[in-house]
Amino acid sequence: MNTRQLLRSFTAAVFLFGLFSSQPALSTQVRDYEVVESLQNVFEEVVEKVKPAVVNISTVSEVEIKHPPIPPEFRNFFHDFGFPFPEIPRRFETRSLGSGFIVKVEDGWAYILTNNHVVSKAKKIKVKLSDGSVYKAKVVGTDPKTDVALIKIKVGDKKVPVVEIGDSDRIKVGQFVIAIGNPYGLNWTVTHGIISAKGRHGLGLNPIENFIQTDAAINPGNSGGPLCDIHGKVIGINTAIVRNAQGLGFAVPINIAKKVMDDLLKYGKVIRGWLGVYIEDVSPSLAKKFGVKEGVLVTKVMPNSPAEKGGLKAGDIIVEFNGEPVKNVTDLQLKVINTKPGEEVKITVIRDGKRKVLKVKIGQMPGTQSLAHVDLMSKFGFSVQPLTPDLKSKLRVPKWVKHGLIVTEVSSGSSADDAGLREGDIIVAAGVTPKDLRPVKSVDDLLSIIKKAGSSGVLLKVVRGEGVIYVVLNPED
């Protein structure tokens, strides 16, 4: 039963109660209307509170179409008749719409949470506020694993509304929710419903899934918009729908999105814990054999992983993580990735029919370094890779250069292009001023210096050919 049906049933029940009540009919109807109006007022207040902080996001992306090769005989046909062979376009611009909401304003920048699929591969991003003003947006960082992205717009001294973040771990099935977004370009559309389920996974939408399911109407264009509770607090990011189905919408829990946002702002990438095991859910028959109700089966342990170093073995059934029960594969994955790398945890397993407690030091999930490269490209328009001995030899880098980052790509018109960086340059040191230049050995080194420099720009010491030059990399306005 959806919310509208629930309200109709509720109103009908109250009306019938009034008919058979000993109180006067007129008095009963007044009370009935007061109850319904109080519920209506709640929805109105939430919309008035949240709607101003919801934004419309429009993007322009470039899509490359790979046409099949044209046989020579067809090319000759055009040539024989004196016509030039027609050029078939391989790149097309596509436009799309999405939603987002302002979560933070700092140093003249307004930060907006949305979905990764709304802004991924976008060449241009424009954000329209509820007052009609339009701004060019920049990507702060993205996380494809959870389909969360953080973008920002330069608002200067302008006061812009900000949403209030809720706690998605405390929500319950059956609670009222309100979705706000821009479905089919219909700006700032409001729908309502209830939380239909929590912890939905296995949908094949994201690598990491722990969705809130709702029957609030969500359509294309709602992606990235907020899902709010009746207090006007955002508890999720509307993300996906099931095609040709009614009442099946899914949202990323705000607690997951908040961690992504905090990591992107603090580290320039998403930091996740890593165990290093292949796992699968325990079947009912297997659970019965091992005498457990729930857990996950370890099918393989990666060499030199935290799991191997901690003593985990294939065939173990993990039943507890730091004293908390492990329900299924998704539950364990979320527990691990939300653990800070370097932290020691206790993992309880069933091995040979006996309980065994292992101490495992959680590692950092491989692949987070690549997000730092994406961050450099999205913010400053250039990408790099570490200087290896093999590259030093192939590129004939001066012998005195022991470490650094090779610039592998520079986008035209970007901050890096304006600064004078070129492909093949080697960044060997960076700092806010000449006095505090320090060696750059990794992308993390460079990102931390850039973050420290802030709006003042960062000084780069660059090896180009046999010589050394200095360039100033300024953040884009």
Side-chain angles (χ1 to χ4, degrees):
M1 178 181 295
N2 60 31
T3 307
R4 295 176 183 83
Q5 293 171 326
L6 181 65
L7 286 173
R8 285 198 295 268
S9 300
F10 175 79
T11 304
V14 172
F15 178 74
L16 289 174
F17 175 81
L19 288 178
F20 295 99
S21 172
S22 60
Q23 298 295 326
L26 181 60
S27 175
T28 303
Q29 289 178 5
V30 170
R31 289 200 306 271
D32 295 345
Y33 278 112
E34 287 176 350
V35 172
V36 176
E37 284 179 353
S38 66
L39 179 61
Q40 178 177 281
N41 290 338
V42 169
F43 288 129
E44 291 175 353
E45 289 172 4
V46 171
V47 174
E48 290 175 2
K49 179 180 179 180
V50 180
K51 186 178 176 180
V54 178
V55 304
N56 177 305
I57 299 175
S58 58
T59 64
V60 177
S61 304
E62 191 175 74
V63 177
E64 182 176 358
I65 299 179
K66 295 181 179 179
H67 293 280
I70 305 297
E73 55 268 24
F74 286 99
R75 294 178 180 269
N76 294 335
F77 171 82
F78 285 92
H79 177 74
D80 292 342
F81 284 89
F83 294 106
F85 183 77
E87 290 294 329
I88 301 176
R90 291 179 175 271
R91 294 181 180 273
F92 296 87
E93 283 192 347
T94 61
R95 299 176 184 272
S96 61
L97 295 174
S99 308
F101 50 96
I102 303 172
V103 291
K104 179 180 181 181
V105 178
E106 186 176 78
D107 297 330
W109 290 93
Y111 292 85
I112 299 166
L113 274 176
T114 184
N115 285 137
N116 173 64
H117 76 261
V118 171
V119 298
S120 63
K121 300 180 181 180
K123 292 173 58 181
K124 300 176 183 177
I125 305 173
K126 289 186 178 181
V127 170
K128 184 178 182 180
L129 304 187
S130 58
D131 63 4
S133 56
V134 179
Y135 296 84
K136 179 182 177 182
K138 300 183 182 302
V139 176
V140 176
T142 63
D143 182 36
K145 291 183 181 294
T146 58
D147 197 15
V148 173
L150 183 67
I151 63 177
K152 65 179 182 179
I153 56 175
K154 188 71 171 179
V155 294
D157 296 330
K158 179 177 180 177
K159 292 184 179 180
V160 294
V162 176
V163 300
E164 185 178 358
I165 300 297
D167 184 355
S168 55
D169 290 340
R170 297 174 64 87
I171 62 175
K172 296 181 179 180
V173 175
Q175 290 181 343
F176 284 122
V177 287
I178 295 175
I180 306 176
N182 307 289
Y184 298 107
L186 301 172
N187 298 338
W188 292 278
T189 294
V190 180
T191 58
H192 71 275
I194 62 169
I195 296 174
S196 305
K198 301 192 305 179
R200 287 295 193 205
H201 61 277
L203 303 177
L205 300 172
N206 296 337
I208 299 174
E209 295 183 342
N210 188 39
F211 290 118
I212 300 169
Q213 183 180 325
T214 177
D215 68 346
I218 296 175
N219 292 286
N222 270 112
S223 292
L227 186 69
C228 311
D229 62 19
I230 60 171
H231 303 289
K233 296 181 180 181
V234 178
I235 58 169
I237 303 178
N238 299 319
T239 298
I241 58 175
V242 175
R243 296 288 182 182
N244 302 319
Q246 294 182 352
L248 288 177
F250 300 92
V252 175
I254 197 63
N255 287 10
I256 291 178
K258 188 176 182 300
K259 182 190 182 303
V260 171
M261 177 182 73
D262 292 343
D263 280 359
L264 290 173
L265 290 173
K266 186 175 181 179
Y267 306 110
K269 59 183 178 180
V270 182
I271 303 295
R272 291 193 172 96
W274 178 58
L275 191 56
V277 291
Y278 292 91
I279 52 179
E280 65 180 43
D281 288 325
V282 174
S283 64
S285 58
L286 193 61
K288 185 177 180 179
K289 286 288 184 182
F290 281 88
V292 298
K293 294 182 178 180
E294 54 192 12
V296 298
L297 174 65
V298 177
T299 59
K300 184 179 179 181
V301 178
M302 299 180 186
N304 300 316
S305 65
E308 185 183 64
K309 294 175 183 178
L312 277 165
K313 296 182 179 180
D316 286 346
I317 296 180
I318 300 176
V319 292
E320 288 183 6
F321 184 91
N322 254 358
E324 295 184 357
V326 173
K327 300 176 182 178
N328 49 47
V329 168
T330 300
D331 184 35
L332 179 60
Q333 287 176 334
L334 291 172
K335 284 179 167 60
V336 172
I337 65 178
N338 288 322
T339 303
K340 187 177 180 179
E343 182 178 334
E344 187 176 78
V345 300
K346 293 181 180 179
I347 297 179
T348 303
V349 303
I350 303 297
R351 181 183 296 171
D352 299 328
K354 298 179 180 179
R355 292 175 70 90
K356 187 176 182 67
V357 179
L358 304 172
K359 292 183 179 181
V360 181
K361 188 175 182 180
I362 298 298
Q364 182 171 318
M365 181 180 288
T368 53
Q369 183 72 16
S370 63
L371 292 174
H373 291 270
V374 173
D375 195 49
L376 280 177
M377 177 57 76
S378 64
K379 282 186 177 181
F380 302 99
F382 75 104
S383 59
V384 294
Q385 71 178 70
L387 181 64
T388 63
D390 185 49
L391 285 173
K392 283 182 64 176
S393 175
K394 289 181 179 179
L395 299 175
R396 298 180 181 179
V397 177
K399 293 182 179 180
W400 62 268
V401 178
K402 304 298 182 182
H403 50 70
L405 299 174
I406 301 174
V407 178
T408 56
E409 182 181 356
V410 177
S411 296
S412 177
S414 64
S415 295
D417 188 28
D418 293 341
L421 277 178
R422 300 178 186 173
E423 293 181 12
D425 285 350
I426 301 173
I427 302 172
V428 294
V432 181
T433 66
K435 293 182 179 180
D436 63 6
L437 280 173
R438 76 172 196 243
V440 171
K441 299 180 181 180
S442 68
V443 181
D444 286 336
D445 289 342
L446 181 57
L447 282 173
S448 64
I449 297 171
I450 289 175
K451 185 174 179 64
K452 182 180 178 181
S455 60
S456 63
V458 61
L459 179 65
L460 302 179
K461 182 180 179 181
V462 176
V463 174
R464 181 177 293 171
E466 296 291 332
V468 174
I469 63 171
Y470 292 86
V471 300
V472 178
L473 184 64
N474 290 308
E476 295 184 2
D477 295 331

